């Protein structure tokens, strides 16, 4: 799927800071290219396991949030969408440090979006892959939300 984003990288950063104010220090949008968004997470705020590597929940959090950003970049602000189902495979332990997440929107339907996310650690090693399925409000609901947001500004 090749699509044209409705938000630039700077707009995505500003929107994310507005919707999730405490996230900016933990997740940063690095690039927006068509239906693909690359984000960097950490190293601060990423939980570690007792034996040293980053925790699975920390990697899942980064993949989930990057997927959320990727869908919003294509549709415009849709904060009421929710993660409906997901599958993640942890491929190897992630060394402590920053993570990079490449989230690609592979399908957008009228009420759902599917994202593939690839998580790499600071060494560039692929440490996790996830498929995220987001439930979207109806198109009429998205139009109403956009109109509300426009009226508020």
């Amino acid at each position: 799927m090749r699509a044209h984003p409705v938000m630039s990288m700077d707009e995505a950063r500003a929107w994310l800071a507005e919707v999730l104010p405490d996230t900016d220090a933990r997740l940063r949008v690095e690039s927006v290219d068509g239906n693909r968004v690359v984000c960097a997470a950490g190293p601060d705020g990423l939980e570690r396991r007792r034996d040293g590597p980053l925790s699975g929940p920390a990697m899942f959090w980064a993949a989930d949030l990057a997927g959320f950003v990727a869908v919003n970049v294509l549709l415009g602000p849709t904060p009421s969408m929710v993660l409906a189902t997901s599958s993640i495979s942890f491929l190897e332990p992630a060394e402590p440090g920053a993570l990079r997440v490449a989230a690609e929107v592979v399908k957008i339907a009228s009420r759902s979006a599917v994202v593939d996310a690839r998580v790499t650690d600071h060494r560039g090693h692929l440490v996790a892959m996830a498929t995220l399925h987001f439930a979207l409000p109806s198109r009429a609901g998205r139009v109403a939300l956009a109109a509300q947001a426009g009226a508020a500004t």
Side-chain angles (χ1 to χ4, degrees), residues 22-142:
D22 297 335
T23 302
D24 190 46
R26 294 179 61 198
L27 185 100
R28 295 163 309 286
V29 179
E30 289 192 334
S31 69
V32 171
D33 181 23
N35 59 329
R36 185 172 186 262
V37 170
V38 177
C39 296
D44 296 333
L46 295 177
E47 298 85 17
R48 293 173 53 179
R49 296 185 339 203
R50 286 185 174 189
D51 59 343
L54 293 176
S55 71
M59 290 187 276
F60 180 79
W61 171 84
D64 176 27
L65 194 52
F68 178 76
V69 170
V71 174
N72 279 279
V73 161
L74 286 180
L75 294 179
T78 311
S80 60
M81 73 180 213
V82 295
L83 182 64
T85 61
S86 62
S87 171
I88 188 163
S89 296
F90 299 106
L91 306 174
E92 68 177 81
E95 291 294 319
L99 295 174
R100 284 181 56 103
V101 183
E104 181 179 355
V105 179
V106 294
K107 176 77 173 170
I108 291 185
S110 63
R111 297 294 302 263
S112 66
V114 179
V115 177
D116 278 340
R118 300 170 70 84
V119 183
T120 55
D121 67 8
H122 70 93
R123 304 166 299 168
H125 292 193
L126 182 63
V127 294
M129 294 175 29
T131 300
L132 310 162
H133 189 156
F134 293 95
L136 304 174
S138 67
R139 288 180 195 207
R142 291 196 304 263

